[in-house]
Amino acid sequence: IICCPPPLQMQFMLLFSRQGKLRLQKWYVPLSDKEKKKITRELVQTVLARKPKMCSFLEWRDLKIVYKRYASLYFCCAIEDQDNELITLEIIHRYVELLDKYFGSVCELDIIFNFEKAYFILDEFLLGGEAQETSKKNVLKAIEQADLLQEVRLGGGDLHGI
Amino acid sequence: MPAPIRLRELIRTIRTARTQAEEREMIQKESAAIRSSFREEDNTYRCRNVAKLLYMHMLGYPAHFGQLECLKLIASQKFTDKRIGYLGAMLLLDERQDVHLLMTNCIKNDLNHSTQYVQGLALCTLGCMGSSEMCRDLAGEVEKLLKTSNSYLRKKAALCAVHVIRKVPELMEMFLPATKNLLSEKNHGVLHTSVVLLTEMCERSPDMLSHFRKNEKLVPQLVRILKNLIMSGYSPEHDVSGISDPFLQVRILRLLRILGKGDDDSSEAMNDILAQVATNTETSKNVGNAILYETVLTIMDIKSESGLRVLAINILGRFLLNNDKNIRYVALTSLLKTVQTDHNAVQRHRSTIVDCLKDLDVSIKRRAMELSFALVNGNNIRGMMKELLYFLDSCDPEFKADCASGIFLAAEKYAPSKRWHIDTIMRVLTTAGSYVRDDCVPNLIQLITNSVEMHAYTVQRLYKALLDDISQQPFVQVSSWCIGEYGDLLVSGQCEEEDPIQVTEDEVLDVLEGLLASNLSSPVTRGYALTAVMKLSTRLSSVNRIKKVVSIYGSSIDVELQQRAVEYNALFKKYDHMRCALLERMPIMEKAAANGPTETVQTNGEAEPAGLEPKHPPTIIQPANQANDLLDLLGGNDVVPVISTAPAMKPASAGGELLDLLGGLSLSAPTPAPPIPMSQPPFLLDGLSSQPLFNDIATGIPPMTAYNKNGLKIDFTFERSNTNPNIAIITIHAANSTEAEMTNFVFQAAVPKTFQLQLLSPSSSIIPALNQGPVTQVIKVLNPQKQQLRMRIKLTYNHKGSPVQDLAEVNNFPPQSWQ
C-alpha cells in the first residue's frame, strides 16, 4: 500500500536582478511556459517589494519562498511546506560559493554572459531539487573535468565554441 | 556563408538595445537566422544556435522551434552538443510535449555511456524532468547505476530513483535491494542522496517504513553516522563554519523524525543523539541554527521524553531572542505548531512572543499574533489584551480583521468582568471599527443585550464615541442598535459605571438622523438607524419628530429603507396598538443554535395575507438571530402565541424539559381579538384556509383528542409539510358542547426545547355552543431531532361570564406525527 507523502521538494529556483530581469530559471515541477511566466512575474514582483528589514521567508500561494540577495542578484527558491527554510538558505549560499569559486569573484555579468555554465554548476550541485553533492571541492572538480571534455574534439567545438 | 554570431556576441549586442522594441527587432532577426540554420541541418553550429535560443528564451521570447534541435544535440557524439542539448531539453521540453519521449532512447544510451559525465547528464535530465513513461522505461537502468561502485554516478542515481518513485510510485519496490548497503558508503554525496532516497521510500509506504525500522535497523545506522559527523574533527571538504556537513546532518535528522514518529523503540534509540545535537551545536551562525531547527522539529514529532521536549521548546525560546529575524520567524512557526500539545512550555515564552508583535516583518507579526491568541487564558487575559489592543491600533490593515475577531473570541472566553468585556469591545469598535467582520455585529449586539446591568453604560460610551466618528460601519451599526434599544437610559442619565452625560432627546435623534443622511453610512447602516429611530418612539416622548422622520423615508430611493419606513408608518397609523409590544425591549438572547429551521417554518406563514406587506421580518429587524423572537410579532397576524413559541426557540438542551408557560412570559401581545378578515371563513373550510401551501393531505396520521374537559374538546389533526419533512402541521379543532358559547378563547402551546413551534391565527375567538362548529387553529411544529412530541397547552376563555383557565399536557401524540 502506498500512501501519499507530505510534499518535500524544492519546486523551482529563480535568479533575477533588481530590475526584475530573469537570469536563471530552474524548474523541478512540470508547468507550461505560460504558467512559468505567470509565476515568475508575480513572484519577482512580490520579492522586489520586500523591504530590507524583512525576513528571508514569505508565504506565497501554497509555497514557502526563501530568497536572499547577493549584490544585484536575488536568489529565490520555492520549497514546500515541510521543508527547513534555514537549510535552504545554506543551499543558496553554497550555490553562490560555487559560482564564486568557478568564476572568481562572481558578479551578475558573469551569470548573464555565461548562463549555460551557471546551469551546469547548478546541475552538478542539485538534482531534482535535492543536493547531490555536499562537498564544494567535488562539485567544482566535476565541472572542471566536464569542461575539459569540451576541449576533446571528435568534430568541432572548443570551450568557447558557442 | 559566415559562421553564425557567437553566443556571447549576441548577448552583448542585445544588451545594447535601448528600447524594448529595439531588442525585439534584434531577437527577431537572430531568430530568423537561427531558424534557417536549423532548416539547413547545420551540424557544426547547431550547438551555438540552440545556446543562443536558450538565451532568448530566458528573455521571454518564443523558442519552441528549437525543441527538436535539442534532441539532435543530445544524440550527437560531441560532449559540448550533449551538454547544451540536455540543458535545452530541460528548459524547452517537458512531459507535456509528446516529443519528449523521443529522448528516451538517447537517455538510455547515455546512461550506458563510457564517459561518466555523459552518464551524469542523462541521469540529471531524467531526474529533473523525466515523465512517468520515461521513468518506467528507464527505471531498470537507474537501478543498475544505483549499485555501481562509482560514487559520482551512484549519488546521481539515488536522486534519479527518488524522481522515478515520485512519478511512478509502484516502482518503489524494485529499488529496495539496491538500498541495502547504501549507508555504509564513505562518500558524503552518496550518503546524502541515499538518505533522501530512504526518506522518500519511508514517507510513501508504511510497509517500507516498517521494513526499514525493523529489518534494516536503520535508526542505529543513522545515529552512528550522525555521531561521527559531530564527533569527528575538522574536515575541510565538508566544513561549513565549523560544522561538518550540515546538509547531511539535517537530512539524517529528518529521516530519524520519520522513523521515530509513533514508534517508542526508535524514539528511544535516537534520544541521546538528539540531546547531544541539541546541546552541542554552535548557534552563532545560520548553519548551526538550521541543524538545531531540524532537531527541534524531530524532537517534537517523535515520542521523546518530556525533558527533551522542554529542551526543544527552550531552543525555540532562545531563537525568539535571536537578532536574526529569520531565526525568529522559524521559531514562531514552530511554536505555533506545538502550542496545543506543549501549551505550558510555550507559555513560558509568552512575553517574548508578545514582543514580536512589534517586529517590522509582516510574517513575524502575523505569527506572533496567532501565537498570542493561542496563549491567552484566564490568567493572562488582562495583560495580553492590553498588548493585543495596542497591536490592533498600530498594525497594518491586513491584520485588523483577524485581530479584531481574535480579540472578540478571547474576550468572550476569558473576560474577567462584564464591564471589562464591554469596554474591550468598544475599544475594538472604535479602533478598528471598519475592519470588524460583519458577523461580529450580531454577536456583539447579543452580548450587549445580555449584559443587562451594563446597558446604560454601554449606550452612553457608544453614543459619545459616535459623536466623534461615524465612518466605521460595523461600529455605527452596533451603536445605532444600542441607541434605539436603550435611548431612554441615555436620556434619563442613568449610568452607574461612570458619570452620566446630559443628552436631550433631540440630540439623540439628531445623531440618528445624521446617520441616515450621511454619505458615509452604508445602506445597511441606514437600516439600523431607521429602526433605532422607530424604537425610540416608545422610549422617548418626541413621537411627532420620529413620525416625521419615518414618513420622510417612506419615499426614499433605497427600496429597503422605503419599505421599512412604510411599514413603520403603518405601525403609527393602523397598528398603533401593537407598536408598544413590537418595539419592546429585547429579551435576553441565548446563542441561537440555528436560525435556518425557524426561517423555514416562518416562511410558510408568509402565505397569510398580512395587514402589513408580506415582508420577511428578518430584514426589518436585525440581527438575524433575533428574527426568531420578532418574526411572529411582525407577521401581522401571527399573534399571541408568539409568547409561547419564543421560549420554544431556545436551542436544544439535553432532555425535553417542558417549558413553564407562565414563568417569564409577559402576555402583553393582543389576542386574536382584532378582527382580521381572513380568519372568518365558513367553518367547513377552516381546516383548509390556513394551509394554503400544503398539497399532501392525509398522510395517514390518525387524529387525536388532546383535551376534553368541562365541555371543551380539542382535537388535533395532522399533516406533513411538503416543503420540509421535519415539520408537522397540526390543526386544532376546539369544540364546545356546553349550552353557552366560549368567548375570548385563546389557545397557547409550549413544546420541549428541541422543537420549534409556530401558531397561526385561530379562525375565531368564539367557540359557539352545542358543537356548532369548531374553532380551528394551525400549529406548525419543527422537530429536527425527531424526538417524541409532547406539548403543554394553556386554554383561557370566558364562559357564562366567568374567566376560565386551564393547563394540560398532551402526551398522546401518534408516533407518526413525530417520527
Side-chain angles (χ1 to χ4, degrees):
Chain A
I1 306 163
I2 291 167
C3 60
C4 208
L8 200 73
Q9 189 196 1
M10 181 186 297
Q11 290 210 356
F12 56 83
M13 182 189 287
L14 303 173
L15 267 67
F16 51 89
S17 71
R18 300 250 293 280
Q19 287 74 39
K21 289 229 141 177
L22 198 60
R23 298 301 180 208
L24 187 145
Q25 49 174 332
K26 188 75 190 180
W27 299 86
Y28 295 109
V29 288
L31 292 166
S32 71
D33 237 19
K34 194 161 152 215
E35 287 166 315
K36 286 182 192 167
K37 279 198 170 136
K38 181 157 188 266
I39 290 174
T40 306
R41 192 175 46 239
E42 283 178 25
L43 192 53
V44 167
Q45 229 174 13
T46 309
V47 172
L48 288 177
R50 301 274 288 179
K51 306 200 186 67
K53 284 212 191 290
M54 292 177 161
C55 70
S56 302
F57 318 125
L58 62 105
E59 290 100 30
W60 185 80
R61 300 196 184 182
D62 57 348
L63 294 171
K64 274 202 274 219
I65 305 296
V66 180
Y67 72 94
K68 191 152 177 182
R69 204 184 101 211
Y70 289 85
S72 59
L73 266 185
Y74 282 88
F75 287 70
C76 190
C77 289
I79 58 177
E80 284 167 354
D81 199 44
Q82 307 282 336
D83 284 344
N84 180 332
E85 299 97 323
L86 299 180
I87 204 73
T88 308
L89 279 175
E90 293 299 319
I91 297 260
I92 291 176
H93 192 72
R94 173 57 63 90
Y95 181 45
V96 174
E97 284 180 322
L98 291 166
L99 291 169
D100 194 59
K101 225 30 204 274
Y102 183 84
F103 287 107
S105 294
V106 69
C107 63
E108 190 185 344
L109 274 180
D110 292 320
I111 314 276
I112 294 171
F113 279 93
N114 302 282
F115 71 93
E116 88 279 12
K117 298 203 183 103
Y119 275 108
F120 296 154
I121 294 168
L122 185 61
D123 285 342
E124 209 52 57
F125 174 40
L126 303 178
L127 199 158
E130 304 277 359
Q132 59 181 285
E133 179 57 66
T134 57
S135 154
K136 233 188 300 186
K137 192 178 86 179
N138 287 351
V139 175
L140 292 167
K141 203 161 63 166
I143 294 288
E144 214 178 305
Q145 303 281 24
D147 282 352
L148 286 175
L149 271 188
Q150 292 198 177
E151 294 188 334
V152 173
R153 324 193 300 100
L154 303 167
D158 55 13
L159 186 61
H160 303 290
I162 52 177
Chain B
M1 178 63 174
I5 180 177
R6 285 176 182 268
L7 168 66
R8 325 237 183 253
E9 194 60 48
L10 178 67
I11 295 176
R12 203 163 308 150
T13 311
I14 290 177
R15 283 172 62 78
T16 62
R18 276 160 301 176
T19 63
Q20 187 72 32
E22 215 182 311
E23 180 186 276
R24 213 176 310 134
E25 212 184 297
M26 291 179 185
I27 300 272
Q28 274 169 356
K29 186 162 159 236
E30 185 58 35
S31 264
I34 291 175
R35 247 189 293 236
S36 47
S37 188
F38 286 161
R39 269 195 298 269
E40 288 159 25
E41 297 283 345
D42 179 327
N43 288 335
T44 322
Y45 295 108
R46 179 177 288 121
C47 182
R48 183 183 293 185
N49 287 326
V50 168
K52 288 186 287 186
L53 199 56
L54 294 180
Y55 178 73
M56 299 191 302
H57 177 252
M58 182 135 68
L59 291 180
Y61 295 95
H64 48 275
F65 55 90
Q67 287 169 0
L68 274 173
E69 303 302 312
C70 293
L71 296 177
K72 292 178 195 164
L73 284 175
I74 291 172
S76 155
Q77 292 308 310
K78 295 195 293 207
F79 183 69
T80 316
D81 282 356
K82 283 190 189 287
R83 242 185 166 183
I84 297 291
Y86 277 116
L87 179 60
M90 286 193 273
L91 288 174
L92 301 182
L93 285 171
D94 63 41
E95 57 187 53
R96 295 128 176 280
Q97 280 103 328
D98 292 331
V99 82
H100 87 280
L101 286 169
L102 296 172
M103 269 201 291
T104 314
N105 219 41
C106 281
I107 293 184
K108 186 167 191 179
N109 291 336
D110 283 344
L111 284 174
N112 291 298
H113 203 274
S114 50
T115 311
Q116 67 176 17
Y117 297 104
V118 173
Q119 289 172 293
L121 286 175
L123 281 167
C124 179
T125 306
L126 182 60
C128 176
M129 56 162 294
S131 64
S132 321
E133 298 96 324
M134 280 170 73
C135 288
R136 249 183 253 272
D137 285 342
L138 301 170
E141 304 296 326
V142 177
E143 198 261 345
K144 241 178 17 197
L145 288 170
L146 192 51
K147 298 193 282 217
T148 175
S149 54
N150 181 337
S151 46
Y152 177 78
L153 293 174
R154 207 171 186 201
K155 70 189 187 194
K156 290 179 193 273
L159 289 182
C160 202
V162 170
H163 180 83
V164 168
I165 291 172
R166 282 180 183 158
K167 282 300 199 188
V168 194
E170 308 90 75
L171 292 176
M172 192 187 327
E173 295 273 335
M174 73 180 279
F175 292 106
L176 187 54
T179 64
K180 250 232 175 315
N181 52 4
L182 276 175
L183 291 185
S184 31
E185 267 267 6
K186 289 280 179 280
N187 181 292
H188 280 225
V190 177
L191 277 175
H192 186 273
T193 59
S194 302
V195 171
V196 174
L197 175 57
L198 292 167
T199 305
E200 187 71 26
M201 293 168 101
C202 288
E203 278 188 321
R204 281 205 177 250
S205 161
D207 289 338
M208 283 285 180
L209 178 59
S210 181
H211 167 78
F212 281 118
R213 263 189 196 134
K214 306 201 171 81
N215 306 345
E216 299 294 337
K217 307 252 188 289
L218 208 49
V219 176
Q221 287 186 64
L222 292 168
V223 169
R224 183 181 41 84
I225 300 172
L226 192 51
K227 200 160 194 165
N228 283 339
L229 284 172
I230 302 170
M231 306 298 272
S232 68
Y234 175 75
S235 152
E237 203 179 327
H238 298 109
D239 180 271
V240 180
S241 304
I243 295 177
S244 187
D245 206 338
F247 303 106
L248 182 56
Q249 288 195 37
V250 163
R251 286 322 296 243
I252 290 177
L253 287 163
R254 196 177 299 174
L255 182 51
L256 284 174
R257 176 151 82 246
I258 294 162
L259 291 166
K261 188 167 186 166
D263 190 86
D264 287 319
D265 291 333
S266 300
S267 298
E268 205 190 310
M270 58 182 80
N271 199 77
D272 285 347
I273 192 69
L274 290 174
Q276 208 177 349
V277 175
T279 7
N280 292 337
T281 307
E282 183 65 44
T283 61
S284 56
K285 294 255 181 83
N286 179 68
V287 61
N289 289 321
I291 294 175
L292 276 179
Y293 180 40
E294 197 73 38
T295 312
V296 166
L297 291 177
T298 299
I299 293 174
M300 301 313 290
D301 232 17
I302 64 170
K303 302 196 140 196
S304 43
E305 305 172 347
S306 61
L308 203 53
R309 292 182 86 83
V310 171
L311 180 59
I313 300 220
N314 288 345
I315 290 176
L316 293 178
R318 278 204 311 274
F319 274 7
L320 281 180
L321 298 166
N322 197 306
N323 282 332
D324 186 339
K325 45 196 156 16
N326 293 334
I327 309 284
R328 293 204 298 276
Y329 171 94
V330 146
L332 287 169
T333 310
S334 312
L335 285 170
L336 203 50
K337 287 195 205 139
T338 65
V339 71
Q340 304 302 337
T341 47
D342 296 85
H343 191 88
N344 290 333
V346 180
Q347 277 283 2
R348 269 181 236 129
H349 303 279
R350 195 179 66 245
S351 56
T352 323
I353 292 168
V354 165
D355 280 341
C356 289
L357 286 171
K358 303 187 183 90
D359 203 295
L360 291 158
D361 184 298
V362 154
S363 307
I364 290 182
K365 271 203 274 235
R366 177 165 285 282
R367 273 166 175 64
M369 181 182 80
E370 284 172 25
L371 205 43
S372 298
F373 281 124
L375 291 174
V376 172
N377 62 28
N379 293 329
N380 58 37
I381 178 77
R382 283 186 193 268
M384 288 296 276
M385 198 51 83
K386 246 201 230 126
E387 300 284 351
L388 290 165
L389 284 170
Y390 180 76
F391 177 68
L392 182 66
D393 253 333
S394 53
C395 68
D396 296 328
E398 66 183 282
F399 287 112
K400 290 205 196 253
D402 286 333
C403 191
S405 296
I407 289 177
F408 286 146
L409 226 70
E412 207 178 303
K413 276 205 259 196
Y414 302 112
S417 74
K418 281 232 153 97
R419 158 96 187 244
W420 182 96
H421 196 171
I422 301 270
D423 280 343
T424 304
I425 289 174
M426 291 206 279
R427 174 84 184 270
V428 173
L429 284 177
T430 49
T431 316
S434 19
Y435 299 97
V436 163
R437 295 215 168 83
D438 289 339
D439 62 344
C440 285
V441 173
N443 289 339
L444 292 175
I445 287 176
Q446 178 168 31
L447 175 69
I448 292 169
T449 309
N450 292 353
S451 314
V452 177
E453 64 278 16
M454 305 296 306
H455 286 168
Y457 172 72
T458 308
V459 70
Q460 178 163 297
R461 292 274 322 262
L462 288 173
Y463 176 80
K464 280 199 282 189
L466 202 56
L467 291 175
D468 284 332
D469 176 15
I470 61 166
S471 64
Q472 307 189 81
Q473 298 308 294
F475 162 65
V476 174
Q477 286 163 15
V478 173
S479 304
S480 314
W481 190 92
C482 284
I483 294 174
E485 208 38 41
Y486 311 120
D488 49 326
L489 300 176
L490 185 60
V491 166
S492 63
Q494 283 183 26
C495 187
E496 279 174 6
E497 299 279 340
E498 61 176 25
D499 290 330
I501 56 175
Q502 310 281 38
V503 185
T504 65
E505 293 193 5
D506 276 328
E507 284 169 328
V508 171
L509 289 169
D510 283 343
V511 168
L512 288 175
E513 279 194 68
L515 293 176
L516 277 167
S518 167
N519 287 338
L520 297 167
S521 298
S522 71
V524 169
T525 305
R526 288 208 181 88
Y528 271 92
L530 188 60
T531 304
V533 167
M534 188 59 193
K535 284 197 209 171
L536 289 176
S537 72
T538 56
R539 289 160 174 73
L540 305 180
S541 59
S542 319
V543 182
N544 285 331
R545 178 173 174 180
I546 292 173
K547 273 190 193 165
K548 273 208 204 94
V549 174
V550 168
S551 68
I552 292 173
Y553 282 92
S555 44
S556 162
I557 321 172
D558 180 335
V559 175
E560 171 73 38
L561 221 50
Q562 188 193 108
Q563 183 148 20
R564 285 175 194 232
V566 164
E567 293 180 13
Y568 292 156
N569 240 342
L571 259 188
F572 274 124
K573 301 202 168 100
K574 199 169 170 200
Y575 296 99
D576 199 48
H577 57 275
M578 290 171 74
R579 188 162 50 88
C580 268
L582 280 168
L583 302 176
E584 235 180 21
R585 186 80 94 227
M586 291 307 259
I588 307 256
M589 294 178 250
E590 303 263 348
K591 260 267 151 86
N595 294 321
T598 320
E599 316 277 33
T600 321
V601 177
Q602 315 297 16
T603 320
N604 289 333
E606 264 188 65
E608 307 291 346
L612 306 172
E613 302 190 69
K615 185 75 183 77
H616 204 5
T619 53
I620 297 179
I621 304 280
Q622 277 149 346
N625 62 4
Q626 292 179 54
N628 301 348
D629 303 303
L630 293 176
L631 262 172
D632 299 273
L633 285 173
L634 290 174
N637 299 313
D638 304 329
V639 201
V640 183
V642 163
I643 308 302
S644 54
T645 60
M649 283 170 214
K650 293 209 172 138
S653 63
E657 281 300 302
L658 286 183
L659 300 159
D660 181 1
L661 263 181
L662 295 176
L665 298 177
S666 50
L667 301 170
S668 54
T671 64
I676 297 155
M678 54 66 76
S679 56
Q680 307 299 343
F683 296 154
L684 281 177
L685 295 174
D686 273 354
L688 296 177
S689 67
S690 36
Q691 301 160 29
L693 293 189
F694 316 123
N695 299 324
D696 56 340
I697 310 182
T699 51
I701 308 173
M704 58 172 268
T705 301
Y707 178 91
N708 195 351
K709 225 160 122 179
N710 299 330
L712 176 59
K713 181 162 176 272
I714 299 184
D715 290 327
F716 285 177
T717 58
F718 301 91
E719 278 189 20
R720 282 238 167 257
S721 158
N722 62 344
T723 51
N724 182 339
N726 287 333
I727 296 177
I729 297 139
I730 306 172
T731 307
I732 71 160
H733 307 257
N736 173 7
S737 60
T738 69
E739 324 115 352
E741 61 182 15
M742 297 169 177
T743 59
N744 294 93
F745 174 72
V746 177
F747 174 91
Q748 290 170 295
V751 286
K753 283 183 190 159
T754 56
F755 295 80
Q756 288 181 18
L757 191 70
Q758 183 193 14
L759 267 76
L760 305 184
S761 307
S763 57
S764 166
S765 62
I766 302 171
I767 313 179
L770 301 169
N771 290 331
Q772 271 172 58
V775 162
T776 59
Q777 190 167 9
V778 171
I779 311 171
K780 290 182 206 163
V781 179
L782 175 69
N783 182 10
Q785 296 185 23
K786 299 271 184 208
Q787 291 200 1
Q788 183 178 5
L789 181 54
R790 286 148 56 201
M791 200 183 272
R792 184 179 284 173
I793 60 178
K794 180 178 172 191
L795 308 159
T796 55
Y797 55 94
N798 283 342
H799 191 234
K800 295 184 184 160
S802 341
V804 180
Q805 192 175 279
D806 199 9
L807 285 168
E809 287 203 18
V810 185
N811 290 328
N812 54 331
F813 284 95
Q816 302 95 312
S817 66
W818 48 269
Q819 271 169 356

